[in-house]
Every structure is written in structure tokens, then in C-alpha cells.
Amino acid sequence: MIKRISQIAFAFTMVLMLVSCKNTKQKLQEYVVTYNKTIAPSFRADDVTLTTARGYINDDKIELRFETNLEQNEANKSAAVISFPKLIKQMIDKDQIPRQLIEEGVQFDVYFLADDNTVLDKEILKGESLKDFLK
């Protein structure tokens, strides 16, 4: 009797574990929804007016956009090249950009945009480049 109960409990546990496991595409989709609902509305950084996430499930890619109130000029572009990677590192450290997704092969295309939506700086986070941001 105890052996039978143990077998049933083991089978139930295995089914539960399989059902609760999420694949990378599900995690990607869940991250985008969570980012736009919880992180983006409360996000604060110098000159950033809006941030949004967009997921590309078939490409295993997430696009993060940071819209700013900065004009598109060389001074702001030079400053962005220095400050934007620091902002990304802080977000990785706070798990606002999850290392686990990057390690599972999801690429993050992260854009720092001027007030006219032109690119001040762009960073691509994938497995190899993650080490550079964690230095």
C-alpha cells in the first residue's frame, strides 16, 4: 500500500514539474508583459521620459527602448556612449534585465533614443557581450 502511494506521489510530482517548466519563448513573453506593466511605469533615470519592451518570439529577441528628452547632437551622443552602458549594468544588477534569459540565448537590443526618436546609442546584449557589462 505504501509503495503504491509512493508511486502515485512520484508520478504526480513529475507531472507537476513538467507543467511548471517554462520554455525560453514563454519566459520571453512573460518578461515583456511584466516589464511594460511593472518596470516601465516606475522606471526613473536621468533624461529618460519613457521606456518600453517589445518581444520577437520567433527571433528570440527583446527590444528595449529608452526615449529621452535629449537633442540629437554629438555632445549628447558622446555622453550617451558613456552613461547608457552604466544604466544597462544597473538594470542587469537589479534583475530588470534578467541574465537568465540572455544565458538561454535571448538577445536584447537596447536603444537610447533622442527626443526625435533617432538613436543616440544602441547596445546588443547576448551571451558573449554580457560579460563586458558585468565588469
Side-chain angles (χ1 to χ4, degrees), residues 69-118:
N69 56 7
L70 301 172
E71 290 182 26
Q72 177 64 272
N73 58 43
E74 283 306 312
N76 287 337
K77 204 168 192 168
S78 296
V81 169
I82 295 168
S83 65
F84 191 47
K86 291 178 184 176
L87 175 64
I88 292 171
K89 183 182 181 332
Q90 289 174 351
M91 291 182 73
I92 292 170
D93 290 342
K94 293 178 183 176
D95 205 32
Q96 292 174 327
I97 298 176
R99 293 178 199 184
Q100 181 186 8
L101 277 178
I102 297 169
E103 291 166 354
E104 288 182 19
V106 175
Q107 176 178 309
F108 280 76
D109 291 353
V110 191
Y111 298 91
F112 200 60
L113 305 172
D115 59 359
D116 61 355
N117 279 335
T118 57

Side-chain angles (χ1 to χ4, degrees), residues 112-126:
F112 200 60
L113 305 172
D115 59 359
D116 61 355
N117 279 335
T118 57
V119 177
L120 288 170
D121 191 24
K122 174 185 178 184
E123 300 291 340
I124 296 176
L125 301 175
K126 47 186 175 182

